Amino acid sequence: MNENKNPNVQQAQIHRRLSPSAKRKRRKAKMRRRLGMMLSILVLIVAVVAVGYLSITETGVTTAGNAIVAPETGKDAPVATEDPQPTATPEPTPEPNPMANINVTWDTTGIEGYDYLIAINRAADCVTIYTKDENGNYLKPYFPMICSTGEDTPLGEYRTIEQYRWRYLFGDVYGQYAVRIVEHILFHSVPYLSQNPADLEYEEFNKLGTPASLGCIRLQVADVKWIYDNCPIGTPVVLYDDAENPGPLGRPDFTPIDVNDEKLRGWDPTDPDPANPWAAKNPRPKTEIPV
């Protein structure tokens, strides 16, 4: 008789020979093996889920396609969006143009060796110093000065021709830091009764900003000294009228003199002379000359 080597047949034959109690034990053992396998699979699934949760917590967000998914935070999570449109960068606020209301009718072509053009608004008793812009033209306002002109102050375009530390003027008076523009028309300080910086005609000083001269352009000492020091002979000068617009930088104020103050009234408050008693004033009167 041939021996049957099929394992399933052999198991069936052994099972028929077992007693009922042995069969029950066999079934229980088989069930325990199945439960053990199911428990192992369950533990493995839990471990995989835990690793994924820790990964989400550490990164803060996960991606799903092109959408951005926010982690749960206890608050309403932002709505996922795809390919958000970039926010347009706002245009910068344009800086005000000081020349917007100025009608420039004179030649502004820059001249080599001359950094400044001096423009006198006769109708507004204001001077504006222009320097060169990026194209080399005199179209960049630098700083303003208050002045006094007069009925004989001419209009037109000129270039300075002479300078004087002190200059004798009409009316038997003197001016500091005089610069000739044309013929008898000069830049100079408010008049002095003598060539002494403590002998100022203080009542004339308080007329700055109004027509008060015989044609020259009167300035505070600090202002006219700046022209004397920084504008060489040949500097372009223009005289014009514009009562509506003193200049692109406006017309600055000045510190009037108390005519009853005998200690201070003989001095121009802006005079840099070390002996000037105005130097002890706090704050000391100053002009708009840039540092």
Side-chain angles (χ1 to χ4, degrees):
M1 185 172 182
N2 292 334
E3 182 180 1
N4 191 347
K5 295 183 179 180
N6 189 322
N8 293 330
V9 174
Q10 292 177 351
Q11 289 291 331
Q13 293 173 350
I14 293 171
H15 183 71
R16 284 195 294 270
R17 292 197 294 269
L18 293 175
S19 62
S21 62
K23 290 179 179 179
R24 286 195 297 272
K25 291 180 180 180
R26 189 178 181 87
R27 285 195 298 269
K28 290 180 180 180
K30 189 175 182 179
M31 289 180 64
R32 283 195 296 270
R33 286 195 299 272
R34 288 179 178 177
L35 288 173
M37 291 179 63
M38 293 175 65
L39 183 60
S40 298
I41 292 171
L42 182 60
V43 170
L44 181 61
I45 292 172
V46 171
V48 170
V49 172
V51 170
Y53 177 77
L54 290 175
S55 176
I56 292 173
T57 303
E58 290 177 358
T59 59
V61 295
T62 59
T63 59
N66 292 328
I68 299 175
V69 182
E72 293 296 332
T73 62
K75 299 180 179 180
D76 293 337
V79 178
T81 59
E82 293 189 6
D83 300 327
Q85 294 296 322
T87 302
T89 302
E91 292 293 330
T93 303
E95 295 185 3
N97 179 11
M99 298 295 292
N101 298 320
I102 304 302
N103 183 24
V104 177
T105 58
W106 56 87
D107 185 4
T108 60
T109 305
I111 304 171
E112 185 176 355
Y114 296 91
D115 295 332
Y116 306 104
L117 177 145
I118 308 170
I120 302 104
N121 185 344
R122 189 181 64 171
D125 286 295
C126 181
V127 173
T128 301
I129 305 297
Y130 289 87
T131 189
K132 294 176 181 176
D133 63 9
E134 62 276 8
N135 297 317
N137 296 319
Y138 300 117
L139 286 172
K140 185 176 181 180
Y142 192 46
F143 71 97
M145 303 173 177
I146 191 170
C147 72
S148 283
T149 58
E151 291 183 2
D152 291 337
T153 303
L155 299 174
E157 299 179 46
Y158 307 93
R159 297 182 68 173
T160 59
I161 53 179
E162 289 180 292
Q163 291 184 334
Y164 316 90
R165 175 61 184 85
W166 284 94
R167 178 64 183 176
Y168 182 77
L169 307 173
F170 291 119
D172 198 25
V173 292
Y174 299 84
Q176 288 201 74
Y177 303 106
V179 178
R180 188 177 301 280
I181 301 169
V182 58
E183 297 180 350
H184 63 280
I185 306 300
L186 304 94
F187 294 109
H188 60 72
S189 68
V190 173
Y192 291 77
L193 297 174
S194 65
Q195 294 186 41
N196 181 346
D199 203 11
L200 179 69
E201 282 197 288
Y202 44 83
E203 291 180 345
E204 293 298 309
F205 182 88
N206 287 348
K207 295 177 183 178
L208 282 169
T210 65
S213 77
L214 296 178
C216 291
I217 293 84
R218 296 178 178 179
L219 296 161
Q220 296 180 94
V221 167
D223 289 338
V224 74
K225 184 177 186 300
W226 186 91
I227 294 175
Y228 182 92
D229 291 339
N230 295 279
C231 300
I233 297 302
T235 293
V237 177
V238 57
L239 297 103
Y240 70 103
D241 281 338
D242 187 348
E244 298 298 322
N245 296 292
L249 301 178
R251 189 182 75 179
D253 293 327
F254 75 106
T255 301
I257 293 172
D258 181 357
V259 297
N260 296 314
D261 189 332
E262 296 183 0
K263 178 181 179 181
L264 297 177
R265 68 186 183 186
W267 286 83
D268 181 311
T270 70
D271 194 326
D273 190 306
N276 190 347
W278 284 91
K281 297 282 286 185
N282 187 21
R284 179 178 180 175
K286 59 182 181 180
T287 71
E288 299 293 323
I289 295 176
V291 177

